[in-house]
Amino acid sequence: MEAAAAAAAGGGCGSGPPPLLLSEGEQQCYSELFARCAGAAGGGPGPGPPEAARVAPGTVTAAAGPVADLFRASQLPAETLHQITELCGAKRVGYFGPTQFYIALKLIAAAQSGLPVRIESIKCELPLPRFMMSKNDGEIRFGNPAELHGTKVQIPYLTTEKNSFKRMDDEDKQETQSPTMSPLASPPSSPPHYQRVPLSHGYSKLRSSAEQMHPAPYEARQPLVQPEGSSSGGPGTKPLRHQTSLIRSFSVERELQDNSSYLDEPWRITEEQREYYVNQFRSLQPDPSSFISGSVAKNFFTKSKLSIPELSYIWELSDADCDGALTLSEFCAAFHLIVARKNGYPLPEGLPPTLQPEYLQAAFPKPKWDCQLFDSYSESLPANQQPRDLNRMETSVKDTADLPVSTQDVTGDDKQALKSTVNEALPKDVSEDPATPKDSNSLKARPRSRSYSSTSIEEAMKRGEDPPTPPPRPQKTHSRASSLDLNKVFQPSVPATKSGLLPPPPALPPRPCPSQIWAIMNSVAVNICIQVVEWSEQVSEAELLPQLSRAPSQAAESSPSKKDVLYSQPPSKPIRRKFRPENQATENQEPSTVASGPASAATVKPHPTVQKQSSKQKKAIQTAIRKNKEANAVLARLNSELQQQLKEVHQERIALENQLEQLRPVTVL
Amino acid sequence: MAVCVAVIAKENYPLYIRSTPTENELKFHYMVHTSLDVVDEKISAMGKALVDQRELYLGLLYPTEDYKVYGYVTNSKVKFVMVVDSSNTALRDNEIRSMFRKLHNSYTDVMCNPFYNPGDRIQSRFVCLGRAFDNMVTSMMIPVC
């Protein structure tokens, strides 16, 4: 545009004004003004002031009427305006072409700054010309480029009021007609701000008034505008109220005075805006603490009809953590930037401080019910949570070494341990993919449902139904990450809780049915189970959890189980009193111990066999240690299995990629 | 420190290439283009091992009289090629690695933008994608100018 202006200036008026160099802000302003004035040309301006030149047909010119209005709005004396028009060359060529217009604007700026109206004045850096206009659509103030450009406030204002991005284009066109219909040269006492007009009412009125104004004489427009303006409310002098208009779309009348913050910063989000943004966020994503994925946000923001480069730039600015998803604060910042951009504000170089996510979160704290429920899940695997889960899992593994359980307590504990282990196991898998932390949220949410389902199964079990036959061990190949694996792994282990046995950590394969173990154990006295049971009564509840490890340990060690046998056996356990601590080497003892333990919890009481407590305790501790070691071995094995699966998946992926490459047509550089 | 930085897509067309303006840019384009062969060679040599064992940093691809060319390839076969001045002996391998790491991070940030279609050029106009990327590359190319 600069080159065009310069060239045109040079070429259009031979001995006219010298080439004009405009800064970017000026360019923007001037082009907008020119477009406005030119747009009004179609409507047929009223009789202009004498100095207005005629409009040369067939050229892109600014209509004389609007131009004259604009110049008059600059509040310069008529003589100065005459001089300016002369100097810019409009008189000479007879019309206001782009160059003339720009030069004129620059001269106006110079005049307003107190410089003499000369060609030389426009060569230096000038602030933008200021035009005080009282329009039906509000006051336009062209401040310094450093200030906010309030030029196009009214245009997008209408559109944002509609709160529908799709209609913005149409409204834009219509809107461009109206702003030029501004009455008035006298300083506006109270320029009725467009925003004051109720939404539905205002838009139709605007249209009708715009149509009316087109042919109407200049002065006659004023009474039209004034009543309209005065009807809508008090005086408003701020051009930046477009931001509040967003919320207006839902309310008929709003007070316009709450824009003190706008004076300084268009980047500040008000409460109403914030509310609006949050509602929009909710429409995309019901959970306010969760993320909006990139594609969803892309579709949504594309509706705003901004260009893709601009949208991508806005995204770059607002997605502070660069994760490809938007949190609520990021979404609000992005939305706000889009709104600002539609209103004509140039996009900032960097994210303004008031739009930073931390600032937004602090300024608008989420309601508690949002935070507490979901924060622990919505964070992308907070580091502190994971170790915490790990700790819990480890303690749970340890504690389940020996203990049978008073069913209810332990199952409750189990669930928690289970949840924590599941939470911990799942996030481990997910955390390897840093680009999709949001997936971890959804994945993390799943363990909860799983634990609930396990609860129901447990209860069903306790009613005495036979446990379902456990599914076979999970297949080596599966289409998704091991989270599915865990699903499968977990389900079969759930029935294990039927008899009050603590559910094993889901990462472990289903518990084997120790039927064959029992066959062996029949010969081996399992007095220890009773001892263990008694010991469990004495031991604190914290040690209940080790029981869990025993279940998995026996599951790991043995072949795929028939759990039903396990549960049919327990009742007979107490009968076996032979205690063979020597059999510690055989894992068989563990399962029997474990199996018998919980089952015998109920039966222990009727068998108050009094054994040597100290030796029992010692042996219990030893067994606990054994259990832990076995649990470790089991987990290590599971780890290696998962690694194996991971490698296989990798290889599959490589194979697929190779295929893809072969299939893809070769692209030439 | 770098004299030229280029991002090459999987299909071996450039997504982004930028050189210090003082030099003949065409020469750098040519160097980057020829280095692609070396990159492919290195990839195929390593490709037999498992993917996760493959090193992303390829190291010195080839030295010329005035310049050295370093390469880096991502898991999605997007290649980064960097040309540095041979006379700049202060540059060590670790520094090159860290530069590539920064490049990679900026590149993933560009990728994360849903408005970026993979395979598009990484533009860096005023209101466009890739400004951060461009700024980062600029920081790498200063002070050699």
mmCIF file with all atom_site columns, all heavy atoms in Angstrom, chain A residues 633-647:
data_model
loop_
_atom_site.group_PDB
_atom_site.id
_atom_site.type_symbol
_atom_site.label_atom_id
_atom_site.label_alt_id
_atom_site.label_comp_id
_atom_site.label_asym_id
_atom_site.label_entity_id
_atom_site.label_seq_id
_atom_site.pdbx_PDB_ins_code
_atom_site.Cartn_x
_atom_site.Cartn_y
_atom_site.Cartn_z
_atom_site.occupancy
_atom_site.B_iso_or_equiv
_atom_site.pdbx_formal_charge
_atom_site.auth_seq_id
_atom_site.auth_comp_id
_atom_site.auth_asym_id
_atom_site.auth_atom_id
_atom_site.pdbx_PDB_model_num
ATOM 1   N N   . ALA A 1 633 ? 9.134  -60.047 41.720 1.00 0.00 ? 633 ALA A N   1
ATOM 2   C CA  . ALA A 1 633 ? 9.437  -60.872 40.543 1.00 0.00 ? 633 ALA A CA  1
ATOM 3   C C   . ALA A 1 633 ? 8.297  -60.817 39.543 1.00 0.00 ? 633 ALA A C   1
ATOM 4   O O   . ALA A 1 633 ? 8.510  -60.701 38.331 1.00 0.00 ? 633 ALA A O   1
ATOM 5   C CB  . ALA A 1 633 ? 9.687  -62.321 40.988 1.00 0.00 ? 633 ALA A CB  1
ATOM 6   N N   . VAL A 1 634 ? 7.107  -60.878 40.098 1.00 0.00 ? 634 VAL A N   1
ATOM 7   C CA  . VAL A 1 634 ? 5.950  -60.838 39.192 1.00 0.00 ? 634 VAL A CA  1
ATOM 8   C C   . VAL A 1 634 ? 5.931  -59.539 38.418 1.00 0.00 ? 634 VAL A C   1
ATOM 9   O O   . VAL A 1 634 ? 5.742  -59.511 37.204 1.00 0.00 ? 634 VAL A O   1
ATOM 10  C CB  . VAL A 1 634 ? 4.655  -60.974 40.012 1.00 0.00 ? 634 VAL A CB  1
ATOM 11  C CG1 . VAL A 1 634 ? 3.461  -60.581 39.186 1.00 0.00 ? 634 VAL A CG1 1
ATOM 12  C CG2 . VAL A 1 634 ? 4.528  -62.408 40.495 1.00 0.00 ? 634 VAL A CG2 1
ATOM 13  N N   . LEU A 1 635 ? 6.137  -58.461 39.125 1.00 0.00 ? 635 LEU A N   1
ATOM 14  C CA  . LEU A 1 635 ? 6.073  -57.169 38.462 1.00 0.00 ? 635 LEU A CA  1
ATOM 15  C C   . LEU A 1 635 ? 7.189  -57.036 37.440 1.00 0.00 ? 635 LEU A C   1
ATOM 16  O O   . LEU A 1 635 ? 6.988  -56.480 36.363 1.00 0.00 ? 635 LEU A O   1
ATOM 17  C CB  . LEU A 1 635 ? 6.153  -56.051 39.496 1.00 0.00 ? 635 LEU A CB  1
ATOM 18  C CG  . LEU A 1 635 ? 4.925  -55.964 40.387 1.00 0.00 ? 635 LEU A CG  1
ATOM 19  C CD1 . LEU A 1 635 ? 5.164  -54.966 41.492 1.00 0.00 ? 635 LEU A CD1 1
ATOM 20  C CD2 . LEU A 1 635 ? 3.714  -55.569 39.585 1.00 0.00 ? 635 LEU A CD2 1
ATOM 21  N N   . ALA A 1 636 ? 8.342  -57.553 37.798 1.00 0.00 ? 636 ALA A N   1
ATOM 22  C CA  . ALA A 1 636 ? 9.441  -57.485 36.840 1.00 0.00 ? 636 ALA A CA  1
ATOM 23  C C   . ALA A 1 636 ? 9.089  -58.259 35.584 1.00 0.00 ? 636 ALA A C   1
ATOM 24  O O   . ALA A 1 636 ? 9.354  -57.819 34.463 1.00 0.00 ? 636 ALA A O   1
ATOM 25  C CB  . ALA A 1 636 ? 10.715 -58.031 37.471 1.00 0.00 ? 636 ALA A CB  1
ATOM 26  N N   . ARG A 1 637 ? 8.466  -59.394 35.813 1.00 0.00 ? 637 ARG A N   1
ATOM 27  C CA  . ARG A 1 637 ? 8.091  -60.171 34.637 1.00 0.00 ? 637 ARG A CA  1
ATOM 28  C C   . ARG A 1 637 ? 7.079  -59.442 33.793 1.00 0.00 ? 637 ARG A C   1
ATOM 29  O O   . ARG A 1 637 ? 7.153  -59.407 32.570 1.00 0.00 ? 637 ARG A O   1
ATOM 30  C CB  . ARG A 1 637 ? 7.524  -61.517 35.095 1.00 0.00 ? 637 ARG A CB  1
ATOM 31  C CG  . ARG A 1 637 ? 7.982  -62.650 34.206 1.00 0.00 ? 637 ARG A CG  1
ATOM 32  C CD  . ARG A 1 637 ? 7.647  -63.957 34.800 1.00 0.00 ? 637 ARG A CD  1
ATOM 33  N NE  . ARG A 1 637 ? 6.249  -64.265 34.563 1.00 0.00 ? 637 ARG A NE  1
ATOM 34  C CZ  . ARG A 1 637 ? 5.709  -65.432 34.879 1.00 0.00 ? 637 ARG A CZ  1
ATOM 35  N NH1 . ARG A 1 637 ? 6.435  -66.349 35.458 1.00 0.00 ? 637 ARG A NH1 1
ATOM 36  N NH2 . ARG A 1 637 ? 4.448  -65.660 34.652 1.00 0.00 ? 637 ARG A NH2 1
ATOM 37  N N   . LEU A 1 638 ? 6.123  -58.874 34.467 1.00 0.00 ? 638 LEU A N   1
ATOM 38  C CA  . LEU A 1 638 ? 5.109  -58.118 33.735 1.00 0.00 ? 638 LEU A CA  1
ATOM 39  C C   . LEU A 1 638 ? 5.767  -56.996 32.965 1.00 0.00 ? 638 LEU A C   1
ATOM 40  O O   . LEU A 1 638 ? 5.425  -56.711 31.823 1.00 0.00 ? 638 LEU A O   1
ATOM 41  C CB  . LEU A 1 638 ? 4.079  -57.558 34.707 1.00 0.00 ? 638 LEU A CB  1
ATOM 42  C CG  . LEU A 1 638 ? 2.984  -56.783 33.988 1.00 0.00 ? 638 LEU A CG  1
ATOM 43  C CD1 . LEU A 1 638 ? 2.047  -57.745 33.318 1.00 0.00 ? 638 LEU A CD1 1
ATOM 44  C CD2 . LEU A 1 638 ? 2.220  -55.907 34.937 1.00 0.00 ? 638 LEU A CD2 1
ATOM 45  N N   . ASN A 1 639 ? 6.710  -56.349 33.597 1.00 0.00 ? 639 ASN A N   1
ATOM 46  C CA  . ASN A 1 639 ? 7.406  -55.249 32.940 1.00 0.00 ? 639 ASN A CA  1
ATOM 47  C C   . ASN A 1 639 ? 8.086  -55.732 31.668 1.00 0.00 ? 639 ASN A C   1
ATOM 48  O O   . ASN A 1 639 ? 7.984  -55.112 30.615 1.00 0.00 ? 639 ASN A O   1
ATOM 49  C CB  . ASN A 1 639 ? 8.440  -54.674 33.912 1.00 0.00 ? 639 ASN A CB  1
ATOM 50  C CG  . ASN A 1 639 ? 9.083  -53.447 33.349 1.00 0.00 ? 639 ASN A CG  1
ATOM 51  O OD1 . ASN A 1 639 ? 8.513  -52.799 32.486 1.00 0.00 ? 639 ASN A OD1 1
ATOM 52  N ND2 . ASN A 1 639 ? 10.269 -53.139 33.828 1.00 0.00 ? 639 ASN A ND2 1
ATOM 53  N N   . SER A 1 640 ? 8.759  -56.867 31.802 1.00 0.00 ? 640 SER A N   1
ATOM 54  C CA  . SER A 1 640 ? 9.444  -57.354 30.610 1.00 0.00 ? 640 SER A CA  1
ATOM 55  C C   . SER A 1 640 ? 8.436  -57.732 29.529 1.00 0.00 ? 640 SER A C   1
ATOM 56  O O   . SER A 1 640 ? 8.656  -57.491 28.340 1.00 0.00 ? 640 SER A O   1
ATOM 57  C CB  . SER A 1 640 ? 10.324 -58.543 30.968 1.00 0.00 ? 640 SER A CB  1
ATOM 58  O OG  . SER A 1 640 ? 9.539  -59.598 31.472 1.00 0.00 ? 640 SER A OG  1
ATOM 59  N N   . GLU A 1 641 ? 7.327  -58.286 29.967 1.00 0.00 ? 641 GLU A N   1
ATOM 60  C CA  . GLU A 1 641 ? 6.316  -58.633 28.958 1.00 0.00 ? 641 GLU A CA  1
ATOM 61  C C   . GLU A 1 641 ? 5.818  -57.388 28.239 1.00 0.00 ? 641 GLU A C   1
ATOM 62  O O   . GLU A 1 641 ? 5.676  -57.362 27.020 1.00 0.00 ? 641 GLU A O   1
ATOM 63  C CB  . GLU A 1 641 ? 5.143  -59.362 29.627 1.00 0.00 ? 641 GLU A CB  1
ATOM 64  C CG  . GLU A 1 641 ? 5.437  -60.805 29.962 1.00 0.00 ? 641 GLU A CG  1
ATOM 65  C CD  . GLU A 1 641 ? 4.330  -61.398 30.820 1.00 0.00 ? 641 GLU A CD  1
ATOM 66  O OE1 . GLU A 1 641 ? 3.276  -60.750 30.964 1.00 0.00 ? 641 GLU A OE1 1
ATOM 67  O OE2 . GLU A 1 641 ? 4.545  -62.497 31.347 1.00 0.00 ? 641 GLU A OE2 1
ATOM 68  N N   . LEU A 1 642 ? 5.582  -56.365 29.007 1.00 0.00 ? 642 LEU A N   1
ATOM 69  C CA  . LEU A 1 642 ? 5.085  -55.139 28.398 1.00 0.00 ? 642 LEU A CA  1
ATOM 70  C C   . LEU A 1 642 ? 6.136  -54.551 27.479 1.00 0.00 ? 642 LEU A C   1
ATOM 71  O O   . LEU A 1 642 ? 5.808  -54.031 26.414 1.00 0.00 ? 642 LEU A O   1
ATOM 72  C CB  . LEU A 1 642 ? 4.695  -54.139 29.487 1.00 0.00 ? 642 LEU A CB  1
ATOM 73  C CG  . LEU A 1 642 ? 3.440  -54.513 30.263 1.00 0.00 ? 642 LEU A CG  1
ATOM 74  C CD1 . LEU A 1 642 ? 3.228  -53.531 31.388 1.00 0.00 ? 642 LEU A CD1 1
ATOM 75  C CD2 . LEU A 1 642 ? 2.235  -54.539 29.354 1.00 0.00 ? 642 LEU A CD2 1
ATOM 76  N N   . GLN A 1 643 ? 7.369  -54.614 27.899 1.00 0.00 ? 643 GLN A N   1
ATOM 77  C CA  . GLN A 1 643 ? 8.423  -54.121 27.025 1.00 0.00 ? 643 GLN A CA  1
ATOM 78  C C   . GLN A 1 643 ? 8.422  -54.888 25.716 1.00 0.00 ? 643 GLN A C   1
ATOM 79  O O   . GLN A 1 643 ? 8.589  -54.327 24.637 1.00 0.00 ? 643 GLN A O   1
ATOM 80  C CB  . GLN A 1 643 ? 9.785  -54.279 27.706 1.00 0.00 ? 643 GLN A CB  1
ATOM 81  C CG  . GLN A 1 643 ? 10.018 -53.319 28.847 1.00 0.00 ? 643 GLN A CG  1
ATOM 82  C CD  . GLN A 1 643 ? 10.187 -51.912 28.364 1.00 0.00 ? 643 GLN A CD  1
ATOM 83  O OE1 . GLN A 1 643 ? 10.580 -51.667 27.234 1.00 0.00 ? 643 GLN A OE1 1
ATOM 84  N NE2 . GLN A 1 643 ? 9.869  -50.971 29.223 1.00 0.00 ? 643 GLN A NE2 1
ATOM 85  N N   . GLN A 1 644 ? 8.256  -56.144 25.848 1.00 0.00 ? 644 GLN A N   1
ATOM 86  C CA  . GLN A 1 644 ? 8.214  -56.966 24.654 1.00 0.00 ? 644 GLN A CA  1
ATOM 87  C C   . GLN A 1 644 ? 7.085  -56.516 23.736 1.00 0.00 ? 644 GLN A C   1
ATOM 88  O O   . GLN A 1 644 ? 7.261  -56.345 22.528 1.00 0.00 ? 644 GLN A O   1
ATOM 89  C CB  . GLN A 1 644 ? 8.000  -58.437 25.075 1.00 0.00 ? 644 GLN A CB  1
ATOM 90  C CG  . GLN A 1 644 ? 8.038  -59.418 23.937 1.00 0.00 ? 644 GLN A CG  1
ATOM 91  C CD  . GLN A 1 644 ? 9.420  -59.515 23.333 1.00 0.00 ? 644 GLN A CD  1
ATOM 92  O OE1 . GLN A 1 644 ? 10.415 -59.201 23.999 1.00 0.00 ? 644 GLN A OE1 1
ATOM 93  N NE2 . GLN A 1 644 ? 9.498  -59.896 22.092 1.00 0.00 ? 644 GLN A NE2 1
ATOM 94  N N   . GLN A 1 645 ? 5.943  -56.321 24.340 1.00 0.00 ? 645 GLN A N   1
ATOM 95  C CA  . GLN A 1 645 ? 4.806  -55.885 23.541 1.00 0.00 ? 645 GLN A CA  1
ATOM 96  C C   . GLN A 1 645 ? 5.096  -54.547 22.902 1.00 0.00 ? 645 GLN A C   1
ATOM 97  O O   . GLN A 1 645 ? 4.749  -54.304 21.751 1.00 0.00 ? 645 GLN A O   1
ATOM 98  C CB  . GLN A 1 645 ? 3.559  -55.794 24.419 1.00 0.00 ? 645 GLN A CB  1
ATOM 99  C CG  . GLN A 1 645 ? 3.074  -57.164 24.831 1.00 0.00 ? 645 GLN A CG  1
ATOM 100 C CD  . GLN A 1 645 ? 2.015  -57.054 25.911 1.00 0.00 ? 645 GLN A CD  1
ATOM 101 O OE1 . GLN A 1 645 ? 1.610  -55.955 26.263 1.00 0.00 ? 645 GLN A OE1 1
ATOM 102 N NE2 . GLN A 1 645 ? 1.591  -58.171 26.436 1.00 0.00 ? 645 GLN A NE2 1
ATOM 103 N N   . LEU A 1 646 ? 5.739  -53.700 23.662 1.00 0.00 ? 646 LEU A N   1
ATOM 104 C CA  . LEU A 1 646 ? 6.065  -52.385 23.122 1.00 0.00 ? 646 LEU A CA  1
ATOM 105 C C   . LEU A 1 646 ? 6.966  -52.516 21.915 1.00 0.00 ? 646 LEU A C   1
ATOM 106 O O   . LEU A 1 646 ? 6.782  -51.862 20.898 1.00 0.00 ? 646 LEU A O   1
ATOM 107 C CB  . LEU A 1 646 ? 6.749  -51.543 24.211 1.00 0.00 ? 646 LEU A CB  1
ATOM 108 C CG  . LEU A 1 646 ? 7.153  -50.135 23.799 1.00 0.00 ? 646 LEU A CG  1
ATOM 109 C CD1 . LEU A 1 646 ? 5.911  -49.332 23.517 1.00 0.00 ? 646 LEU A CD1 1
ATOM 110 C CD2 . LEU A 1 646 ? 7.953  -49.491 24.891 1.00 0.00 ? 646 LEU A CD2 1
ATOM 111 N N   . LYS A 1 647 ? 7.926  -53.392 22.037 1.00 0.00 ? 647 LYS A N   1
ATOM 112 C CA  . LYS A 1 647 ? 8.828  -53.565 20.899 1.00 0.00 ? 647 LYS A CA  1
ATOM 113 C C   . LYS A 1 647 ? 8.056  -54.080 19.690 1.00 0.00 ? 647 LYS A C   1
ATOM 114 O O   . LYS A 1 647 ? 8.286  -53.655 18.557 1.00 0.00 ? 647 LYS A O   1
ATOM 115 C CB  . LYS A 1 647 ? 9.929  -54.552 21.264 1.00 0.00 ? 647 LYS A CB  1
ATOM 116 C CG  . LYS A 1 647 ? 10.987 -53.923 22.115 1.00 0.00 ? 647 LYS A CG  1
ATOM 117 C CD  . LYS A 1 647 ? 12.234 -54.785 22.230 1.00 0.00 ? 647 LYS A CD  1
ATOM 118 C CE  . LYS A 1 647 ? 13.230 -54.032 23.087 1.00 0.00 ? 647 LYS A CE  1
ATOM 119 N NZ  . LYS A 1 647 ? 14.060 -54.885 23.868 1.00 0.00 ? 647 LYS A NZ  1
#
